[in-house]
Amino acid sequence: VLSASVSLVDAKRRMLAERVLTVDKPAASADASGGVRALVEATAELGQVLSDWFIVLEKEGRLASCRSS
């Protein structure tokens, strides 16, 4: 299980959004190779979940204060 607590703040350190992301990728084998493969897959999936969340936040207009003017 790979878990991350993500807080998105703007330049003035105001909280814009917060979320806990969790990905569960069981190892295909009980050795180091299986563990590493599971971690790599979980990390990739976590990155995709985070990216998808940012897209939703952008569509909701919640990222406007993150841009420089």
Side-chain angles (χ1 to χ4, degrees):
V1 176
L2 185 60
S3 183
S5 177
V6 182
S7 299
L8 183 63
V9 296
D10 66 10
K12 294 181 180 178
R13 308 288 292 161
R14 292 178 296 204
M15 180 73 65
L16 301 177
E18 192 170 32
R19 185 172 176 191
V20 174
L21 306 173
T22 303
V23 175
D24 187 5
K25 286 288 182 187
S29 59
D31 58 3
S33 178
V36 168
R37 259 182 279 142
L39 181 58
V40 168
E41 290 173 11
T43 302
E45 185 174 329
L46 187 72
Q48 186 60 56
V49 170
L50 186 58
S51 177
D52 293 345
W53 182 51
F54 285 154
I55 290 168
V56 169
L57 292 174
E58 175 65 26
K59 287 180 180 177
E60 293 174 349
R62 296 173 66 186
L63 301 182
S65 63
C66 292
R67 293 185 196 83
S68 49
S69 30

